[in-house]
Amino acid sequence: MSAARRYVWALTDGGLYRLDARDTRLAGPFGVTPHARELAAGVGRALTLDEDLGIVLDRTLAGRVRTYDVGEGARALAVAPRGFWVTVGDQATPRFVAFPDE
C-alpha cells in the first residue's frame, strides 16, 4: 500500500480548491487572479492561468505561490516535471517555462 497522498484540484468562480482523495478533506478556497479559467495540476502543485492578464499562478502543497508573466494571449496550460507548457498567441505557439530551482 502506498503512503502517497493524491489530490483533486478544482477551479471555480469562488477560487481554487483541493480535495484530498484519501480522506476527502476539502481545502480552500485559495486565491486566484480575477479571470483564472485554466487549471493544470502536477506533482505537488496546481497552476492556474488568467488569459486576460497573461499570468500563471503556481501554488505548491507547501503553500508557496509563484507568479509567472506569460503574456497576453496565453490559452492553454500543461504541467511537466521541471516546468510547464503554455500556448501563446493566435497561432497557439507552445512555450516552455522552467520552474526555478527549489
Side-chain angles (χ1 to χ4, degrees):
M1 175 184 274
S2 171
R5 294 187 84 86
R6 305 239 184 238
Y7 299 96
V8 176
W9 294 87
L11 179 61
T12 72
D13 288 338
L16 180 65
Y17 294 85
R18 182 183 69 226
L19 176 68
D20 186 324
R22 189 164 67 179
D23 61 16
T24 66
R25 279 190 295 158
L26 185 64
F30 301 106
V32 294
T33 54
H35 299 106
R37 297 290 179 260
E38 183 83 20
L39 169 67
V43 177
R45 63 184 359 114
L47 283 76
T48 57
L49 169 64
D50 184 322
E51 296 176 13
D52 292 347
L53 296 176
I55 298 291
V56 171
L57 290 184
D58 174 14
R59 180 177 302 281
T60 67
L61 290 176
R64 184 179 60 246
V65 178
R66 284 200 170 99
T67 303
Y68 300 89
D69 182 354
V70 294
E72 292 181 25
R75 291 194 169 90
L77 192 60
V79 179
R82 293 191 173 97
F84 63 92
W85 289 93
V86 62
T87 60
V88 180
D90 292 337
Q91 301 298 315
T93 305
R95 188 173 104 204
F96 183 74
V97 178
F99 294 132
D101 291 334
E102 300 177 317

